[in-house]
């Protein structure tokens, strides 16, 4: 067994100002996404005439988009937790819904929030949604990696009881050694998915297919990781005592990714290369 490090969730305190590691992980994830998307903009613009003007225009668009995506993560993540994981409690205590400082965020809700607000923002500016979705999709695993590290520091979303040599006793999990499932998910949803998706960033596929691959691959990685994670206490196991809510939502996400892959391929008409050239701007 390995001792749990018990890192103080608060980085430092300066009067009422007490930044937390979990909040910092959100900032790091969004900053990494911003920098990696900017890199893709420059790579995809190339050195053709007008490339610098395109880079400046898309860079300005990205500045606003990141702010919109941050809002989508927070609003969608909170509402997703309320609706998917604890609707009964929040129906009885509606004043607690905006209290995100009490904990409770859902990745799947955050994803829906970013897709909805991102679509609205890009449509308003006349930009192609799927081109930008692909750029964000190949960078998303970096944010997921930081998010799972934040879960680990908070000692939340810990694993099921285990007798493996690297099991840990988490402060909120009793005296039972458990899987450090947050680290498993950081590796699966973060490092592994980034290694899979980032090399594909400039692959001339039909616009939307990288997003589809992210949805399917994340769904599979999350389903695998949840096999070691303790289910939420208010829900427990579902459907006969062997599935978690995270696995149910991830299965739906993976199915949506497979469907999107097929749909974007049909929409391409002349093939993935021509579709990408038409939609990238």
């Amino acid at each position: 067994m390995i001792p749990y490090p018990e890192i103080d969730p608060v980085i430092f305190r300066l009067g009422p100002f007490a930044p937390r590691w979990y909040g910092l992980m959100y900032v790091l994830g969004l900053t990494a996404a911003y920098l990696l998307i900017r890199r893709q903009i420059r790579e995809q613009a190339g050195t053709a005439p007008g490339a610098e003007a395109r880079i400046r225009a898309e860079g300005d668009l990205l500045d606003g988009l990141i702010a919109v995506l941050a809002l989508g993560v927070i609003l969608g993540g909170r509402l997703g937790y309320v609706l998917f994981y604890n609707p009964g409690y929040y129906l009885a205590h509606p004043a607690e819904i905006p209290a995100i400082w009490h904990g409770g965020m859902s990745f799947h809700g955050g994803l829906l929030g970013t897709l909805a607000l991102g679509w609205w923002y890009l449509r308003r500016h006349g930009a192609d949604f799927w081109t930008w979705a692909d750029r964000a999709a190949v960078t998303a695993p970096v944010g997921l990696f930081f998010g799972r590290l934040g879960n680990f520091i908070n000692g939340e979303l810990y694993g099921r009881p285990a007798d493996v040599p690297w099991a840990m006793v988490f402060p909120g999990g009793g005296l039972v050694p458990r899987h450090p499932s947050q680290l498993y998910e950081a590796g699966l949803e973060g490092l592994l998915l980034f290694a899979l998706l980032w090399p594909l960033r400039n692959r001339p596929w039909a616009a939307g297919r990288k997003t589809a691959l992210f949805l399917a691959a994340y769904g599979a990685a999350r389903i695998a990781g949840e096999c070691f994670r303790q289910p939420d206490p208010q829900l427990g196991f579902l459907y006969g005592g062997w599935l978690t809510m995270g696995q149910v939502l991830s299965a739906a996400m993976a199915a949506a990714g497979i469907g999107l892959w097929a749909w974007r391929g049909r929409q391409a008409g002349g093939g993935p290369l021509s579709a990408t050239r038409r939609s990238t701007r």
Side-chain angles (χ1 to χ4, degrees):
M1 188 174 68
I2 299 176
Y4 174 68
E6 295 194 46
I7 302 169
D8 189 340
V10 177
I11 304 173
F12 64 87
R13 292 175 175 82
L14 186 61
F17 183 60
R20 302 176 69 89
W21 288 106
Y22 191 68
L24 176 61
M25 296 302 148
Y26 272 80
V27 172
L28 291 175
L30 288 166
T31 301
Y34 177 82
L35 294 174
L36 292 173
I37 292 173
R38 284 197 72 93
R39 175 173 170 177
Q40 292 178 76
I41 290 171
R42 185 165 291 277
E43 289 176 346
Q44 292 164 9
T47 58
E52 286 302 320
R54 173 181 165 183
I55 290 169
R56 285 194 298 272
E58 294 200 326
D60 291 342
L61 187 62
L62 175 62
D63 291 344
L65 179 61
I66 283 293
V68 168
L69 295 183
L71 182 62
V73 167
I74 295 170
L75 293 180
R78 184 58 171 175
L79 290 176
Y81 181 78
V82 169
L83 295 173
F84 298 146
Y85 288 91
N86 217 340
Y89 174 81
Y90 290 104
L91 185 63
H93 305 87
E96 283 290 308
I97 293 176
I100 59 175
W101 53 90
H102 292 165
M105 297 287 281
S106 161
F107 165 77
H108 297 92
L111 174 67
L112 293 174
T114 57
L115 289 174
L117 291 186
W119 176 84
W120 167 80
Y121 175 84
L122 293 166
R123 185 167 184 259
R124 183 182 175 200
H125 288 83
D128 182 73
F129 172 76
W130 292 115
T131 296
W132 285 90
D134 285 347
R135 290 170 174 170
V138 300
T139 69
V142 179
L144 293 167
F145 172 77
F146 283 122
R148 293 309 180 196
L149 290 186
N151 295 146
F152 180 75
I153 292 171
N154 280 350
E156 61 192 6
L157 307 184
Y158 45 74
R160 303 178 193 180
D163 57 2
V164 295
W166 55 88
M168 298 180 181
V169 175
F170 290 89
L175 300 178
V176 180
R178 297 178 178 276
H179 286 288
S181 57
Q182 312 97 320
L183 301 182
Y184 299 173
E185 291 186 284
L188 288 169
E189 303 166 12
L191 299 179
L192 180 62
L193 257 62
F194 185 73
L196 170 68
L197 294 171
W198 181 247
L200 303 175
R201 63 190 181 279
N202 295 321
R203 187 71 61 88
W205 287 355
R209 277 198 156 179
K210 296 179 189 111
T211 303
L213 181 59
F214 166 75
L215 295 175
Y218 175 87
R222 178 69 180 269
I223 289 170
E226 289 263 337
C227 292
F228 302 95
R229 177 169 153 182
Q230 186 73 15
D232 293 77
Q234 73 275 11
L235 292 177
F237 289 101
L238 308 175
Y239 304 108
W242 61 281
L243 282 176
T244 67
M245 177 59 77
Q247 288 174 319
V248 173
L249 295 173
S250 295
M253 181 176 168
I258 294 170
L260 177 61
W261 177 277
W263 177 61
R264 292 307 298 168
R266 288 196 300 270
Q267 289 287 309
L273 180 58
S274 59
T276 302
R277 285 176 174 167
R278 286 197 303 270
S279 61
T280 302
R281 57 185 178 183

